[in-house]
Amino acid sequence: AQTVTQSQPEMSVQEAETVTLSCTYDTSESDYYLFWYKQPPSRQMILVIRQEAYKQQNATENRFSVNFQKAAKSFSLKISDSQLGDAAMYFCAYSSPGNTPLVFGKGTRLSVIA
Amino acid sequence: KAGVTQTPRYLIKTRGQQVTLSCSPISGHRSVSWYQQTPGQGLQFLFEYFSETQRNKGNFPGRFSGRQFSNSRSEMNVSTLELGDSALYLCASSLRAGAGTEAFFGQGTRLTVV
């Protein structure tokens, strides 16, 4: 079964600084998708960024970028120029054609310090 | 365009009762998935529906059931409630079924079983 591991339960970052959240996953499939979701106190999960495994280029969305290391099964999220609004729970998730429901990690709670 | 709407937002039930939660997906979305979120277990997949058919089911007891209507709205039902069923239940809708399709989440229903 596919598993997703987020080893950092909590992280903090100074406003305007950069922070990296870690995620590793385990799968025997070659075709899959990886996601980072943000869950603010409002509880609504919001997609931050998506990566397709067959694409070697790391995905980027404004201040958010990923470091996708397929061989190492690692998918970290980098947040640049952190803002107070970035404070939330961040979940790494996996999905594949053979297992379409999202498999989530336990999450990392990010605090942003003014 | 309206987002995913889950009702009710909060619910308090007594052990042994049953409960029905509702999810209205984004207009035009035909796929609906349900997840249970608890502090201990994190986010766990319950069901996935597409065009009124259950495509996938998570590892939950038979007390958990769901359905999808012709207008893509979905309901999930939990019978004989247990204290451990207390959780945030999240619904996600997608334009179509399949890995990689962006899932849009509702704000969830917070169920408390006393």
Side-chain angles (χ1 to χ4, degrees), chain A residues 33 35 37 39 42-45 47 50 91 95-97 100-102 104 106, chain B residues 9-10 35 37 40-41 43 45 48 55-56 88 99-100 102-103 105 107-108:
Chain A
Y33 299 83
F35 307 83
Y37 277 90
Q39 187 178 40
S42 68
R43 308 181 325 204
Q44 187 163 16
M45 301 274 280
L47 178 65
R50 183 183 89 155
F91 292 94
S95 178
S96 70
T100 53
L102 292 164
F104 287 92
K106 295 286 191 185
Chain B
R9 292 287 306 279
Y10 300 90
Y35 295 84
Q37 185 176 17
Q41 298 298 317
L43 284 144
F45 167 72
E48 178 188 13
R55 293 187 75 243
N56 281 295
L88 178 67
E102 182 176 353
F105 284 81
Q107 289 187 283

Side-chain angles (χ1 to χ4, degrees), chain A residues 7 52 78 98:
Chain A
S7 59
E52 295 154 6
K78 185 172 83 170

Side-chain angles (χ1 to χ4, degrees), chain A residues 14-74:
Chain A
Q14 293 278 351
E15 198 176 4
E17 295 295 309
T18 296
V19 65
T20 299
L21 308 184
S22 301
C23 171
T24 59
Y25 58 94
D26 188 24
T27 183
S28 58
E29 304 197 42
S30 58
D31 183 20
Y32 53 86
Y33 299 83
L34 296 164
F35 307 83
W36 278 98
Y37 277 90
K38 170 185 176 182
Q39 187 178 40
S42 68
R43 308 181 325 204
Q44 187 163 16
M45 301 274 280
I46 302 164
L47 178 65
V48 174
I49 202 163
R50 183 183 89 155
Q51 176 79 43
E52 295 154 6
Y54 64 86
K55 288 188 176 178
Q56 293 191 347
Q57 187 173 6
N58 289 325
T60 299
E61 287 288 341
N62 301 314
R63 297 182 295 108
F64 299 87
S65 62
V66 298
N67 183 5
F68 173 47
Q69 301 289 328
K70 191 171 184 179
K73 296 181 182 174
S74 171

